Amino acid sequence: ACEWKDFGAVLPEMKAWINGLKERLLKIHDTPHVVALGFALGFFWGITPLFGLKTLLGLGSAWIARGNKVAAVIGVTIH
């Protein structure tokens, strides 16, 4: 069973993971338009119920639209 004190140990790890994603997104050397396009496509595919295909669809659509593929994967992962 999960206790509340266990949940408190997970929060710093989640915060560090989110901060790591944010840092990775900020260090991308591309135009803001390309990064935003990749992130938007990834986020779009992230809300679909296609569990095994989300990342592949995000990468594929970012590649076709010439968006940033790293930002697409981050968008899929965040949602």
Side-chain angles (χ1 to χ4, degrees), residues 12-66:
E13 292 177 15
M14 287 176 57
K15 188 175 180 181
W17 178 72
I18 289 172
N19 283 335
L21 287 177
K22 182 182 79 171
E23 289 298 319
R24 242 178 116 182
L25 191 59
L26 290 175
K27 290 182 180 181
I28 294 174
H29 298 293
D30 227 336
T31 65
H33 175 78
V34 172
V35 174
L37 177 64
F39 186 83
L41 288 169
F43 195 83
F44 170 76
W45 288 113
I47 63 173
T48 62
L50 306 169
F51 295 110
L53 298 174
K54 290 179 183 186
T55 305
L56 293 176
L57 289 170
L59 280 171
S61 60
W63 179 69
I64 290 170
R66 296 184 182 210

